[in-house]
Amino acid sequence: MANTPGAKKAVRKIARRTEVNTARRSRVRTFLRKFDEAVASGDAGAAKAAFVEAQSELMRAVSKGVVHKNTGSRKVSRLAAQLKKLSAA
């Protein structure tokens, strides 16, 4: 258990950051799910709109440190590939 005042404050800060990061991660997953649903429906227009929002949200998570830069880039790349495949079909 944290004994010093500094350690107690650190525990409080970690709890706050964990809550914020969890919310951000959940928000990213929501946008990814919306993109997946748009792709599954076969609507290229809706998928394009969902892709733009998902990409924006992923990069925001990267800038906030919730997701690693390479992870964000990899996910965006895979989303773009799915969108390209859908548009070509």
Side-chain angles (χ1 to χ4, degrees):
M1 186 60 205
N3 290 323
T4 65
K8 289 178 181 177
K9 181 179 179 181
V11 168
R12 292 194 306 269
K13 282 173 63 176
I14 290 166
R16 273 199 307 268
R17 296 311 312 161
T18 300
E19 195 174 322
V20 169
N21 288 341
T22 303
R24 285 197 178 117
R25 194 173 297 115
S26 173
R27 188 172 157 87
V28 168
R29 288 183 183 140
T30 299
F31 280 95
L32 293 177
R33 180 179 47 77
K34 286 180 181 176
F35 175 79
D36 288 339
E37 289 171 356
V39 169
S41 72
D43 186 359
K48 172 69 174 157
F51 170 76
V52 171
E53 289 182 333
Q55 180 183 19
S56 172
E57 204 57 44
L58 262 167
M59 289 301 115
R60 179 176 292 135
V62 167
S63 71
K64 299 295 184 182
V66 178
V67 178
H68 191 273
K69 184 173 71 169
N70 292 355
T71 303
S73 295
R74 183 182 69 241
K75 286 182 183 288
V76 167
S77 175
R78 289 179 180 171
L79 294 179
Q82 281 183 311
L83 183 64
K84 185 177 179 182
K85 184 177 176 184
L86 178 68
S87 300

